[in-house]
């Protein structure tokens, strides 16, 4: 249905500003990136091929001819691979430099002398990198095309509007934080180089003695030297030394070590990775934000009349200037009028100090300053919930919606009559939905049978993946692969949610049981609740914040079997309870009945299962 937008005062609209028509906006949306350039495909391709290459490439055993030690090129290779998993979807500008660098390292370090399987795996990594690089290039090209189309549509150019336009402070926090993290990474590199040089200097002046391996421990080997002494030496990779093998021992007074295992600055390298990767990402993000802010502040900007509205989460969505139905959102972003350095503000507009904060989800007329494109930034002249003029600007890059996705508005629920669980009878109370009666005991909702089966299968996959990685580490030694161990365990949250999510309603409010904790929402703080087709539930509070329950099942599979997801019933019932207080339970729920977060249980189950298998 058409909706009358909140008008903007005429003096806030530049003379001659064109309306961004639905036809022009549709043409703008058609120049978005190609479907094959979706970041999900390039990230998945890189992740799968890198894991395959690491499994297929055998570790080189330590020896006197090929000693182990600090591997800076290997660290750079791993760091670029980890970084690209973030840069591919978020920073295509950085991807254009990082992908060729990683491809060069793979071709130089991994391909020479590799076996057939390892060669095929590493070549697949190169193909994935080329695909990701091309996808990043296509995304940047699509941004240029979008900007060109919008600039041709906006015949009028205008100076930035008066008001709190983005200042040159934009990006200061990420730039400062990024530089500090990079400085820490530089310190770690210096320390690692100094420690490696000191070890090598002492090894050059040490006495070399031949010895034979007698036995191996968890992190040491026991050897017998030529003069009959028995020594226990530290070894990072004791599995590389078979019994009876000949090794070389370096001795300088009380200092001893194996010649095949010089100092390995692995701990310092971990610190480098933990600081350089986020530091570099934040630095580039801050520099891009500052460049975009400078463009919005100093250049004559394209101007077009549009429509805008805020959703329940405070995110603002833009529509064509003649789209009074607001059914075709073009893009969205976070906006603010008073926090130029805030990365994720809670709301778009200021609120009076003596008035409780509420989000205005009505459609508003607005004037857009700047050329819109994915990843860009804009300034809007619009009105607040009181109809007063306000100038707002983005605090982050704008994002295009996925197909069939739009603003999170509780008024857009498609299902109709809310209902309580089984056992309700029709009510004669005016204004109360049919089939609902007041409840005395607390009401509970949880996963359905299909969701529990999927959660159990997911938990078994976590155990299998964790067992495989542990087996690799036990048989091949503890190297950089230890970084992969948290990967399967990080997926315990979705498995726990599908197995045992719970929402309990009592007289005080709602108790949300997720994978790690139980949260409470009082009835007077709840504003709206909605579900998505992806199996998530979002509960918007009066202060604009959002509480979420994610990964609650397999909605697409349940719809295929003509089943109604249980979280849909829960949303309908909670919506009715929120709207009709007389239906709410009159009894409180006991702490024991609020639900048990299963995330720690899933992790403990995986660890104990794998440890039992190893001990057996």
């Amino acid at each position: 249905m058409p909706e009358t937008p909140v008008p903007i005062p005429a003096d806030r609209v530049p003379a001659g500003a064109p309306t961004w028509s639905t036809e022009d906006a549709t043409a703008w949306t058609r120049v978005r990136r190609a479907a094959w350039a979706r970041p999900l495909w390039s990230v998945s391709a890189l992740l799968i091929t890198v894991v395959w290459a690491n499994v297929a490439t055998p570790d080189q055993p330590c020896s006197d001819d090929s000693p182990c030690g600090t591997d800076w090129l290997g660290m750079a290779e791993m760091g670029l691979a980890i970084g690209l998993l973030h840069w591919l979807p978020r920073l295509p500008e950085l991807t254009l430099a990082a992908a060729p660098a990683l491809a060069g390292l793979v071709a130089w370090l991994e391909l020479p002398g590799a076996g057939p399987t390892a060669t095929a795996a590493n070549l697949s990594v190169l193909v994935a990198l080329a695909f990701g690089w091309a996808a990043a290039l296509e995304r940047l090209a699509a941004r240029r095309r979008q900007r060109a189309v919008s600039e041709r549509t906006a015949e009028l150019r205008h100076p930035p509007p008066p008001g709190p336009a983005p200042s040159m402070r934009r990006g200061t926090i990420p730039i400062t934080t990024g530089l500090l993290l990079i400085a820490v990474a530089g310190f770690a590199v210096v320390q690692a180089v100094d420690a490696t040089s000191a070890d090598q200097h002492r090894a050059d002046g040490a006495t070399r003695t031949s010895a034979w391996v007698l036995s191996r421990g968890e992190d040491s080997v026991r050897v017998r030297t030529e003069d009959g002494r028995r020594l226990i030496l530290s070894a990072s990779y004791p599995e590389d030394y078979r019994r009876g093998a000949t090794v070389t021992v370096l001795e300088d007074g009380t200092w001893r070590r194996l010649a095949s295992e010089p100092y390995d600055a692995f701990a310092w390298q971990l610190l480098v990775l933990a600081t350089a990767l986020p530091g570099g990402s934040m630095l580039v993000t801050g520099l891009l934000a500052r460049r975009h802010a400078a463009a919005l502040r100093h250049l004559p900007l394209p101007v077009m009349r549009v429509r805008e509205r805020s959703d329940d989460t405070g995110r603002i969505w833009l529509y064509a200037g003649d789209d009074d139905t607001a059914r075709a959102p073009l893009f969205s972003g976070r906006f603010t009028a008073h926090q130029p350095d805030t990365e994720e503000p809670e709301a778009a507009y200021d609120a009076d100090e003596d008035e409780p904060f509420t989000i205005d989800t009505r459609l508003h007329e607005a004037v857009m300053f700047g050329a819109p494109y994915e990843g860009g930034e804009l300034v809007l002249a619009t009105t607040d919930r009181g109809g007063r003029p306000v100038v707002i600007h983005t605090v982050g890059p704008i994002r295009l919606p996925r197909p069939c996705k739009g603003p999170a508005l509780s008024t857009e629920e498609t299902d109709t009559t809310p209902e309580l669980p089984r056992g309700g009878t029709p009510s004669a109370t005016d204004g109360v939905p049919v089939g609902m009666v007041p409840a005395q005991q607390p009401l509970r909702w949880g996963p359905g049978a299909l969701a529990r089966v999927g959660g159990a299968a997911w938990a078994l996959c976590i155990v299998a993946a964790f067992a495989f990685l542990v087996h690799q580490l036990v048989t091949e030694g503890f190297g950089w692969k230890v970084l992969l161990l948290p990967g399967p365990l990080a997926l315990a949250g979705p498995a726990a949610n599908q197995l045992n999510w719970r929402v309990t309603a009592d007289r005080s409010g709602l108790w949300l049981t997720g994978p790690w904790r139980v949260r409470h929402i009082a009835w007077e703080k709840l504003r709206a609740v909605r579900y998505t087709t992806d199996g998530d539930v979002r509960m918007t509070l009066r202060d604009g914040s959002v509480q979420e329950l994610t990964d609650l099942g397999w909605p697409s599979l349940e719809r295929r079997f003509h089943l109604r997801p249980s979280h849909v019933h829960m949303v309908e019932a909670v919506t009715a309870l929120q709207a009709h207080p007389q239906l709410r339970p009159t009894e409180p729920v006991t702490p024991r009945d609020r639900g048990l977060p299963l995330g720690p249980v899933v992790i403990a189950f995986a660890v104990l299962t794998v440890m039992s298998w190893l001990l057996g």
Side-chain angles (χ1 to χ4, degrees):
M1 294 292 293
E3 180 180 348
T4 302
V6 178
I8 185 174
D11 59 349
R12 294 287 175 161
V13 181
T19 298
W20 199 11
S21 66
T22 300
E23 180 181 358
D24 292 334
T26 302
W28 179 84
T29 59
R30 289 173 181 166
V31 298
R32 65 165 58 196
R33 55 168 170 76
W36 61 267
R38 185 180 176 186
L40 175 64
W41 310 131
S42 52
V43 170
S44 300
L46 180 62
L47 181 61
I48 293 172
T49 54
V50 166
V51 171
W52 180 28
N54 280 283
V55 172
T57 303
D59 292 334
Q60 185 71 25
C62 302
S63 65
D64 292 350
D65 296 330
S66 180
C68 303
T70 305
D71 184 7
W72 290 107
L73 293 179
M75 184 209 70
E77 189 178 18
M78 179 176 61
L80 288 173
I82 296 174
L84 278 169
L85 296 177
H86 171 73
W87 301 330
L88 281 168
R90 290 296 181 182
L91 289 173
E93 298 87 351
L94 196 52
T95 298
L96 294 182
L102 179 57
L105 287 175
V106 171
W108 180 22
L109 299 177
E110 308 298 341
L111 288 179
T117 304
T119 299
N122 286 292
L123 287 176
S124 68
V125 173
L126 296 179
V127 172
L129 289 172
F131 177 73
W133 186 87
L137 190 65
E138 164 62 17
R139 291 176 63 194
L140 294 177
R143 294 179 181 182
R144 290 192 294 269
R145 295 194 298 266
Q146 288 177 332
R147 183 169 185 170
V149 169
S150 59
E151 286 178 345
R152 287 195 301 268
T153 303
E155 302 173 356
L156 177 68
R157 286 182 173 267
H158 194 275
S167 69
M168 288 306 293
R169 292 178 56 201
R170 180 81 166 88
T172 299
I173 293 177
I175 289 175
T176 304
T177 306
L179 290 176
L180 289 176
L181 291 174
I182 291 175
V184 174
F187 171 79
V189 170
V190 171
Q191 294 297 313
V193 171
D194 288 345
T196 303
S197 299
D199 177 82
Q200 186 60 43
H201 177 73
R202 193 160 192 177
D204 292 339
T207 302
R208 304 175 69 89
T209 304
S210 295
W212 294 268
V213 177
L214 300 178
S215 62
R216 297 176 299 186
E218 292 184 359
D219 55 359
S220 63
V221 292
R222 187 165 176 263
V223 302
R224 180 169 59 85
T225 61
E226 292 177 330
D227 55 5
R229 291 177 297 152
R230 297 177 183 268
L231 305 176
I232 297 179
L233 303 173
S234 298
S236 300
Y237 310 96
E239 64 278 359
D240 291 345
Y241 307 99
R242 58 180 178 81
R243 294 179 181 178
T246 302
V247 295
T248 301
V249 178
L250 302 179
E251 295 183 275
D252 183 12
T254 59
W255 179 85
R256 300 185 184 92
R257 74 163 170 84
L258 294 169
S260 57
E261 292 198 14
Y263 174 78
D264 188 355
F266 185 67
W268 290 113
Q269 287 181 319
L270 286 181
L271 181 59
V272 172
L273 290 178
T275 53
L277 290 178
S281 299
M282 296 182 73
L283 179 61
V284 173
T285 300
L287 292 175
L288 290 174
R290 175 156 295 190
R291 187 183 71 177
H292 295 157
L296 289 177
R297 188 175 180 85
H298 299 296
L299 298 178
L301 304 175
V303 178
M304 288 186 288
R305 302 189 64 164
V306 294
R307 300 281 193 266
E308 62 88 4
R309 85 177 332 149
S310 176
D311 65 10
D312 288 339
T313 67
R315 194 173 189 86
I316 290 183
W317 295 75
L318 274 291
Y319 304 82
D322 56 358
D323 184 8
D324 290 337
T325 61
R327 292 295 182 183
L330 303 174
F331 54 85
S332 66
R334 294 283 185 180
F335 287 74
T336 186
H338 62 287
Q339 294 176 331
D341 286 311
T342 302
E343 295 300 324
E344 288 291 335
E346 292 293 338
Y349 305 129
D350 292 330
D352 295 336
E353 292 182 359
D354 56 350
E355 182 179 355
F357 174 80
T358 57
I359 296 177
D360 185 9
T361 59
R362 295 176 298 171
L363 194 64
H364 290 250
E365 292 183 352
V367 178
M368 178 176 63
F369 294 82
Y373 59 92
E374 183 181 16
E377 301 193 25
L378 300 169
V379 173
L380 286 181
T382 182
T383 51
D384 61 15
R385 65 174 180 273
R388 299 180 294 270
V390 63
V391 175
I392 58 178
H393 61 84
T394 50
V395 293
I398 62 175
R399 302 295 181 192
L400 303 184
R402 289 186 293 171
C404 302
K405 296 294 181 181
L409 294 173
S410 58
T411 58
E412 292 186 0
E413 294 295 334
T414 57
D415 297 278
T416 55
T417 305
E419 60 183 11
L420 285 175
R422 300 175 184 176
T425 58
S427 171
T429 305
D430 293 338
V432 178
V434 176
M436 299 185 62
V437 295
Q440 182 176 2
Q441 299 297 322
L443 303 172
R444 301 178 184 86
W445 301 269
L450 187 60
R452 290 186 188 275
V453 171
W458 195 238
L460 292 177
C461 291
I462 292 173
V463 174
F466 187 65
F468 172 76
L469 289 176
V470 171
H471 176 71
Q472 291 288 316
L473 294 174
V474 170
T475 56
E476 300 181 8
F478 282 81
W480 66 267
K481 290 182 180 178
V482 71
L483 297 177
L484 300 177
L485 278 177
L489 300 182
L491 303 176
N497 255 352
Q498 293 171 17
L499 282 169
N500 196 48
W501 69 266
R502 180 176 293 185
V503 174
T504 304
D506 68 355
R507 68 184 184 187
S508 65
L510 300 176
W511 299 88
L512 312 182
T513 302
W516 310 110
R517 60 192 177 101
V518 178
R519 293 165 287 175
H520 181 253
I521 300 177
W523 287 116
E524 59 271 15
K525 293 183 179 180
L526 182 64
R527 179 179 182 271
V529 57
R530 66 183 299 272
Y531 62 86
T532 69
T533 57
D534 297 327
D536 301 339
V537 171
R538 297 188 178 96
M539 297 186 179
T540 307
L541 307 187
R542 296 289 179 183
D543 60 0
S545 61
V546 178
Q547 298 283 351
E548 290 186 310
L549 286 174
T550 58
D551 302 309
L552 301 186
W554 307 84
S556 58
L557 189 60
E558 288 173 308
R559 287 191 293 268
R560 183 177 295 273
F561 286 100
H562 304 287
L563 300 174
R564 205 147 187 257
S566 58
H567 66 271
V568 174
H569 292 279
M570 181 271 293
V571 169
E572 294 173 346
V574 170
T575 301
L577 295 176
Q578 194 268 342
H580 304 285
Q582 68 271 24
L583 300 176
R584 298 171 187 170
T586 58
E587 298 291 335
V589 65
T590 61
R592 184 177 182 180
D593 293 332
R594 294 171 187 170
L596 172 67
L598 279 189
V601 177
V602 173
I603 291 180
F605 174 72
V607 173
L608 292 177
T609 301
V610 172
M611 294 304 297
S612 300
W613 168 64
L614 290 176
L615 293 175

